[in-house]
Amino acid sequence: MNTAYLGLGSNVGDRAAHLRFALEALRPVRVSGFYETAPLHYLEQDPFLNCVCEVETERSPWALLDEVRRLERLRQRERPFPNAPRTLDIDILLYSNFVLRSPRLTIPHPRMGERAFVLAPLAELLPEYGPRLAGLGGQQIRRLGAAGPGG
């Protein structure tokens, strides 16, 4: 059994419903609170709702990636351009002690250390990530409360 940490985000439609859908499908062991965050890079879009969950899985990293992409498609995720608005975005942040670099998948996630919307909820589950937030003070992020299916 492997432990994976997944970052979830949504900024189209009923953001909380999209996240709850994914959480129900993934059946996480633990879930951070929900955070509302300003978009990065492409700024002409609505704020995001984000969280991080911990899952126990027997799937390989590749099979887990296929599963999260399937969940995104079920929520009509579109990819018209990089950083476009999205109904559901699920990233594999960490996967046990694996280090993997390929064109399709990189673990640990290569940009998670630059994103408060990943580090803040991840620090709820793994407190050692909290100090990494210090250099990201310019990013707008607000914790909304407990997550989960009732969220």
Side-chain angles (χ1 to χ4, degrees):
M1 191 67 71
N2 291 290
T3 301
Y5 291 87
L6 308 176
L8 289 76
S10 174
N11 77 331
V12 173
D14 187 338
R15 302 172 307 166
H18 293 307
L19 297 184
R20 285 192 300 270
F21 165 82
L23 292 170
E24 288 170 9
L26 293 165
R27 291 185 246 156
V29 175
R30 297 188 298 160
V31 181
S32 73
F34 282 3
Y35 288 77
E36 187 169 72
T37 61
L40 292 178
H41 309 297
Y42 177 65
L43 304 178
E44 300 300 316
Q45 59 183 320
D46 292 333
F48 281 85
L49 197 61
N50 296 95
C51 70
V52 167
C53 71
E54 174 186 328
V55 297
E56 295 292 328
T57 184
E58 293 183 9
R59 292 182 172 106
S60 70
W62 305 106
L64 182 58
L65 179 63
D66 290 341
E67 175 61 11
V68 300
R69 293 297 176 256
R70 184 186 73 80
L71 294 174
E72 290 174 346
R73 284 191 306 274
L74 287 172
R75 296 313 262 196
Q76 288 78 50
R77 163 78 188 263
E78 297 178 2
R79 298 174 190 266
F81 57 90
N83 303 305
R86 41 211 175 268
T87 54
L88 182 61
D89 181 37
I90 307 173
D91 291 325
I92 301 172
L93 305 174
L94 301 166
Y95 184 98
S96 291
N97 292 321
F98 281 55
V99 175
L100 177 63
R101 301 214 189 304
S102 79
R104 187 169 171 235
L105 180 61
T106 300
I107 299 172
H109 190 284
R111 292 172 302 284
M112 70 182 206
E114 305 163 6
R115 298 172 169 178
F117 64 84
V118 170
L119 291 178
L122 184 60
E124 284 187 37
L125 306 181
L126 297 174
E128 59 268 28
Y129 281 88
R132 298 179 188 194
L133 280 164
L136 303 176
Q139 295 181 29
Q140 297 177 11
I141 182 167
R142 180 173 58 105
R143 190 177 192 283
L144 298 179

